[in-house]
Amino acid sequence: MAKIIFSNIVLSLLLFLLLCNFIIDLEASNHDLNQPYRTGYHFQPPKNWMNDPNGPMIYKGIYHIFYQYNPYGAVWDERIVWGHSTSLDLVNWTPQPPAFNPSQPSDINGCWSGSVTILPNNTPVILYTGIDQNKSQVQNVAVPVNITDPFLKEWSKPTLNPLITTPNGIKPDRFRDPTTAWLGHDGEWRVIVGSSTDDRRGLAILYKSKDFLKWTQSVKPLHYQDLTGMWECPDFFPVSITGSEVVDTSLVSEVKYVLKVSLIETLHDYYTIGSYDYEKDVYVPDLGFVQNGSAPRLDYGKFYASKTFFDDVKKRRILWGWVNESSPAKDDIEKGWSGLQSFPRKIWLDESGKELLQWPIEEIETLRGSQVNWHNRVLKAESSLQVHGVTATQADVDVTFKVKDLEKADVIEPSWTDPQKICSQGVSSVKSGLGPFGLMVLASNDMEESTLVYFRIFKSNDTNTNTKYVVLMCSDQSRSSLNEENDKATFGAFMAIDPSHQTVSLRTLIDHSIVESYGGGGKVCITSRVYPKLAIGENANLFVFNKGTQSVDVLSLSAWSLKSAQINEESMPPFIECDDSHSVIQS
Ligand SMILES: *[C@@H]1O[C@H](CO)[C@@H](O)[C@H](O)[C@H]1NC(C)=O
Ligand SMILES: *[C@@H]1O[C@H](CO)[C@@H](O)[C@H](O)[C@H]1NC(C)=O
Ligand SMILES: *[C@@H]1O[C@H](CO)[C@@H](O)[C@H](O)[C@H]1NC(C)=O
Ligand SMILES: *[C@@H]1O[C@H](CO)[C@@H](O)[C@H](O)[C@H]1NC(C)=O
Ligand SMILES: *[C@@H]1O[C@H](CO)[C@@H](O)[C@H](O)[C@H]1NC(C)=O
């Protein structure tokens, strides 16, 4: 007996080592020179076009992500299908067959975005938008064929689809993206669908149902706002006012509500914080919030059509967002793919109750390899320090700055109210404020190419506010690539911190063609896509820089090389960790 067990152990060990070698080989080949922009740990299908994340959930301990997928090419096509992948840790993903394709009169011209609702009997159900025979947008249902299969590989569509047709007064091409449904006090289901009227009033049209199948439009929408145009991909969810923990159902006290809409007129995701009036069945944003292009954004860079779900195992809400390319369609066709998902982010309400915070999910730590740590270094005026010892193309960097001499900051020009515009002036052309200081990522050896993520601090011009300083965060792509055909727009946002009492922190995830940055512990997120020609592989470098006239302290810097995750690699054995020390997978 003992002998048999022993040889079994030896055998599995051998197999394990073999598999690990196999993985390492694949990792190396992952980034051949023909595909320098494919990512190491951001979700993407092996090829073709991907846009919105759909129906994220956890079911029987398995995470699921569905996504808008064009199986026929690297450009969008209206006859889009629901791609599907599953994961044990939100980091490594196994591809599943598409959940469903256009097949019925109610979706024959496309299966567009939607959401999952897990019914009280623990059955997940999908509501999605179908483009019907007449090219009208209608809402359909899909259900798992076998609910004992935790991977939910097969889905079916009842013939009673569509459940909801375009309502009176709404154009047939302006009615889409049902949310996760929720139960009201009266025991009835509610769901909202994004829409707009002809005169650009954006709408979250509310429907109610007793049985999830027969839906009736409520007299009033859950919320609306004039002059905002079409509301795509609405997301409506509760957040705890007492901290980052718990909150799934809509019936808990001690909660605020968040309404997020994706405005097609600006291609950005905006959120407001408010309350849900159960009696009137309407959402009321808190004072100071308006559900339009003046509302705060989930991300000030490339990030759209986002969606959250509640992870009831780890008691957290998780956000996914589509990160579009910034390259011309011909380049996407040439490389054979288009679109990424943001790294999954935990999202919760700040203790002020006035903003949402976001942070990469902790599982990212399982990818961490070699690490660099700095403490208390002075970053002199007009200087930079290179961060040696991490893979600059695939890294996680967390840096904290302390700014002294705040008195030396310049007063912000009163006309500088648009942060993106200030950031677009560049780092050198305007000498004003403290800084710019921050990270220079994906920098080529000769610095011809680089992407700058940085801060500038100004004195406030407004003596009425109690904030004495204005902190600006920018992500500058203008020199990110020698290729002039890409969209290299610079992004920016103001960050609500007081640098006289708080440090200025920046976490940046670098992954070949995506730079995802979190300022102030997740107060401001900026995601950008970059396509360096020179700063590839060994020729990419990472720096901390200060182009300002005053020195800045780097209180701490931690940077890690990140290993490649296994993302939709069909040939790979899923969920094998080579390094025991951070094994998150229990087999
Ligand atoms: C398509 O439009 C025609 C004419 O308006 C209508 O008779 C038919 O019922 C519609 N079909 C569907 C599937 O809605
Ligand atoms: C349903 O899924 C379970 C678990 O994967 C499997 O054992 C069973 O054979 C499936 N049933 C059918 C009818 O396919
Ligand atoms: C948002 O609405 C407010 C109040 O109606 C208005 O003052 C503001 O200009 C609007 N902003 C945008 C970008 O539409
Ligand atoms: C995606 O990116 C391309 C290239 O920058 C741009 O033309 C297009 O408008 C973007 N689409 C969305 C929905 O963001
Ligand atoms: C702020 O700007 C206004 C002009 O809009 C100017 O009159 C005022 O002096 C400025 N305040 C400070 C503190 O610089």
Side-chain angles (χ1 to χ4, degrees):
M1 230 13 202
K3 210 169 164 191
I4 291 166
I5 290 169
F6 174 75
S7 60
N8 269 344
I9 289 172
V10 170
L11 253 176
S12 3
L13 226 130
L14 268 172
L15 192 67
F16 181 72
L17 287 174
L18 269 170
L19 284 172
C20 284
N21 277 332
F22 177 60
I23 288 163
I24 287 157
D25 283 343
L26 269 168
E27 264 181 28
S29 66
N30 222 357
H31 290 104
D32 62 282
L33 290 175
N34 296 324
Q35 283 287 356
Y37 307 130
R38 275 194 80 80
T39 57
Y41 59 96
H42 280 81
F43 185 93
Q44 58 185 146
K47 58 179 182 180
N48 297 329
W49 168 273
M50 170 175 70
N51 55 300
D52 310 359
N54 291 153
M57 69 166 143
I58 181 167
Y59 176 69
K60 296 195 172 179
I62 309 276
Y63 292 102
H64 292 251
I65 183 79
F66 303 88
Y67 54 92
Q68 292 281 287
Y69 178 59
N70 175 14
Y72 313 109
V75 294
W76 184 78
D77 187 300
E78 67 174 11
R79 294 192 79 253
I80 208 139
V81 313
W82 272 51
H84 182 199
S85 295
T86 52
S87 172
L88 286 176
D89 58 5
L90 289 166
V91 172
N92 299 287
W93 291 90
T94 304
Q96 301 292 353
F100 45 85
N101 307 308
S103 68
Q104 293 186 326
S106 64
D107 71 6
I108 196 68
N109 285 304
C111 298
W112 288 20
S113 287
S115 307
V116 164
T117 303
I118 300 193
L119 303 183
N121 68 358
N122 201 30
T123 302
V125 175
I126 289 171
L127 290 175
Y128 70 99
T129 298
I131 309 300
D132 76 6
Q133 278 171 322
N134 289 354
K135 299 225 168 171
S136 290
Q137 299 177 354
V138 298
Q139 313 315 320
N140 296 325
V141 67
V143 295
V145 169
N146 179 0
I147 58 162
T148 59
D149 168 20
F151 299 106
L152 301 170
K153 282 178 197 286
E154 269 191 272
W155 292 76
S156 76
K157 302 173 203 165
T159 49
L160 53 83
N161 279 330
L163 301 187
I164 306 176
T165 54
T166 321
N168 287 336
I170 295 296
K171 289 244 165 69
D173 63 347
R174 291 195 203 152
F175 184 57
R176 55 184 179 269
D177 310 336
T179 58
T180 295
W182 69 95
L183 279 170
H185 282 296
D186 54 7
E188 288 192 42
W189 289 103
R190 280 138 173 94
V191 71
I192 54 175
V193 181
S195 187
S196 74
T197 60
D198 285 351
D199 52 1
R200 294 178 55 235
R201 170 179 286 187
L203 297 166
I205 303 180
L206 181 69
Y207 288 83
K208 287 176 70 174
S209 174
K210 289 194 166 72
D211 62 1
F212 214 88
L213 296 175
K214 192 174 172 300
W215 293 87
T216 320
Q217 186 184 354
S218 290
V219 182
K220 281 189 193 163
L222 184 77
H223 193 54
Y224 64 88
Q225 183 63 42
D226 287 341
L227 306 177
T228 52
M230 179 67 196
W231 286 8
E232 294 196 290
C233 301
D235 198 16
F236 182 59
F237 56 88
V239 283
S240 167
I241 57 175
T242 52
S244 70
E245 297 305 304
V246 210
V247 199
D248 179 21
T249 66
S250 41
L251 302 176
V252 201
S253 55
E254 305 283 284
V255 299
K256 283 267 169 196
Y257 279 80
V258 172
L259 178 63
K260 185 277 307 184
V261 299
S262 304
L263 293 188
I264 202 169
E265 292 185 1
T266 64
L267 296 176
H268 300 310
D269 283 13
Y270 302 87
Y271 71 87
T272 60
I273 297 165
S275 49
Y276 177 28
D277 182 334
Y278 301 115
E279 301 300 315
K280 299 199 179 105
D281 237 346
V282 292
Y283 166 74
V284 185
D286 285 350
L287 203 66
F289 286 103
V290 181
Q291 197 79 43
N292 65 12
S294 298
R297 280 166 55 181
L298 287 177
D299 191 297
Y300 290 84
K302 280 241 158 170
F303 185 93
Y304 192 61
S306 64
K307 189 170 293 291
T308 64
F309 76 102
F310 187 74
D311 175 355
D312 61 1
V313 173
K314 290 205 169 177
K315 306 295 179 208
R316 57 187 174 172
R317 184 163 286 275
I318 291 171
L319 170 73
W320 288 93
W322 168 39
V323 183
N324 185 19
E325 301 298 312
S326 294
S327 47
K330 70 170 171 60
D331 289 11
D332 301 341
I333 293 166
E334 196 177 320
K335 70 190 199 291
W337 58 274
S338 173
L340 302 175
Q341 301 298 334
S342 61
F343 194 78
R345 303 173 181 177
K346 184 174 146 174
I347 183 166
W348 71 100
L349 185 66
D350 179 60
E351 28 178 68
S352 69
K354 290 185 162 56
E355 63 185 343
L356 296 175
L357 300 178
Q358 300 169 54
W359 203 240
I361 53 158
E362 63 189 8
E363 285 86 342
I364 196 171
E365 291 166 22
T366 62
L367 296 173
R368 285 178 176 170
S370 55
Q371 178 177 3
V372 170
N373 278 314
W374 293 1
H375 290 285
N376 299 318
R377 294 211 183 172
V378 178
L379 199 51
K380 292 206 194 83
E382 308 277 357
S383 78
S384 63
L385 296 170
Q386 184 161 9
V387 182
H388 291 283
V390 296
T391 312
T393 50
Q394 212 170 293
D396 180 352
V397 189
D398 198 354
V399 57
T400 304
F401 300 97
K402 179 71 192 168
V403 183
K404 304 162 294 190
D405 306 320
L406 280 166
E407 282 311 309
K408 297 196 171 120
D410 300 297
V411 176
I412 194 164
E413 296 284 332
S415 62
W416 288 7
T417 51
D418 178 349
Q420 176 151 3
K421 236 185 208 161
I422 314 175
C423 293
S424 301
Q425 294 169 335
V427 284
S428 323
S429 53
V430 190
K431 289 269 176 235
S432 181
L434 279 179
F437 58 89
L439 294 173
M440 182 190 296
V441 309
L442 296 172
S444 59
N445 296 330
D446 58 5
M447 305 278 211
E448 252 190 287
E449 288 180 338
S450 69
T451 295
L452 306 177
V453 188
Y454 64 85
F455 301 101
R456 282 170 81 165
I457 299 174
F458 302 94
K459 276 189 198 144
S460 171
N461 170 275
D462 188 349
T463 44
N464 292 324
T465 65
N466 41 18
T467 44
K468 234 175 125 192
Y469 299 97
V470 177
V471 179
L472 177 73
M473 177 171 160
C474 304
S475 182
D476 181 346
Q477 287 71 242
S478 59
R479 289 163 54 86
S480 59
S481 173
L482 293 181
N483 183 346
E484 293 304 330
E485 291 180 319
N486 300 309
D487 174 5
K488 297 192 211 169
T490 287
F491 305 123
F494 292 125
M495 192 164 92
I497 64 157
D498 177 358
S500 61
H501 293 104
Q502 292 167 286
T503 56
V504 182
S505 72
L506 175 64
R507 171 115 181 249
T508 295
L509 306 182
I510 306 156
D511 195 1
H512 301 274
S513 66
I514 180 170
V515 179
E516 221 181 321
S517 299
Y518 300 75
K523 285 170 178 280
V524 171
C525 298
I526 307 182
T527 299
S528 57
R529 297 299 309 278
V530 295
Y531 307 90
K533 290 287 211 188
L534 307 171
I536 288 173
E538 298 286 300
N539 297 317
N541 304 281
L542 172 66
F543 296 86
V544 184
F545 78 92
N546 176 13
K547 288 196 200 278
T549 52
Q550 305 297 323
S551 72
V552 169
D553 290 343
V554 177
L555 284 190
S556 68
L557 176 143
S558 297
W560 294 266
S561 298
L562 292 185
K563 291 177 275 186
S564 291
Q566 296 161 46
I567 297 183
N568 297 322
E569 303 264 2
E570 239 140 330
S571 56
M572 296 185 94
F575 313 130
I576 291 191
E577 283 272 341
C578 297
D579 186 345
D580 277 335
S581 62
H582 16 61
S583 175
V584 282
I585 291 104
Q586 286 96 38
S587 43

